[in-house]
Amino acid sequence: MDVSEEKKLEALGAFEISRKMLALAQKNEKSNIFLNAGRGNPNWIQTQARLAFVRLIQFGVQESKETINNGIMAGYIEKDGIRERLFAFLDPDNNEEDKFLIDAVNYCQDKLGLNRDDVVAEWVNGAIANNYPVPDRCLVNTEKIINGRL
């Protein structure tokens, strides 16, 4: 690329550059499958994480019914002992998403030193949308997990 081509690119905005890069990636020389992982709408999904999220929702709704169970209305979850109840709910021998969740919770304790009840309660509350829209930033344990990964 010569200097004049670089100057043309410098004049482009971020979205224009992104569009040009996506066009180049789609026409790659090796004919690889194009995975768009951009900010908007990627053309792929991570199935295991989504199915594990559904399991957290199922568990969270069941847990909520333990505090208030009034038809279609339920209460908040109880944090104390929630990790043990989640592990009893899950079936890791017959469900790979359940095994993934158990491994993820254990990783949070073993590798990051996080309290498993705190982690599970945060994930379940997030999955069933308790306490929304507070906090207005990343959840406490989730932030630690992200920072550990980065």
Side-chain angles (χ1 to χ4, degrees), residues 2-14:
D2 65 26
V3 175
S4 67
E5 288 175 316
E6 285 182 22
K7 291 291 181 193
K8 287 178 187 175
L9 288 175
E10 288 176 3
L12 297 176

Side-chain angles (χ1 to χ4, degrees), residues 5-132:
E5 288 175 316
E6 285 182 22
K7 291 291 181 193
K8 287 178 187 175
L9 288 175
E10 288 176 3
L12 297 176
F15 292 110
E16 293 168 310
I17 293 171
S18 177
R19 267 195 308 277
K20 287 194 176 292
M21 296 302 288
L22 288 173
L24 287 171
Q26 287 174 326
K27 297 175 187 170
N28 67 78
E29 293 176 9
K30 295 181 180 179
S31 299
N32 292 326
I33 294 173
F34 172 68
L35 293 179
N36 177 359
R39 317 175 334 160
N41 296 312
N43 64 349
W44 58 274
I45 63 169
Q46 207 288 2
T47 58
Q48 185 178 48
R50 280 183 168 75
L51 292 170
F53 185 73
V54 169
R55 295 293 284 157
L56 283 175
I57 293 172
Q58 291 172 327
F59 173 73
V61 169
Q62 176 180 298
E63 281 288 297
S64 295
K65 287 180 176 182
E66 294 297 319
T67 57
I68 297 173
N69 190 357
N70 187 3
I72 62 169
M73 302 299 291
Y76 276 73
I77 64 168
E78 292 289 335
K79 184 176 91 168
D80 291 338
I82 195 167
R83 190 277 316 160
E84 186 177 346
R85 294 190 304 277
L86 173 65
F87 283 21
F89 171 84
L90 299 173
D91 183 9
D93 294 330
N94 297 304
N95 185 308
E96 66 184 58
E97 289 77 28
D98 290 4
K99 181 176 180 345
F100 170 77
L101 282 170
I102 290 170
D103 290 346
V105 171
N106 287 333
Y107 174 88
C108 289
Q109 179 184 20
D110 299 343
K111 300 293 184 187
L112 302 175
L114 303 177
N115 178 286
R116 293 186 297 181
D117 278 345
D118 290 345
V119 169
V120 171
E122 186 173 290
W123 290 356
V124 172
N125 275 320
I128 62 175
N130 278 348
N131 304 319
Y132 181 82

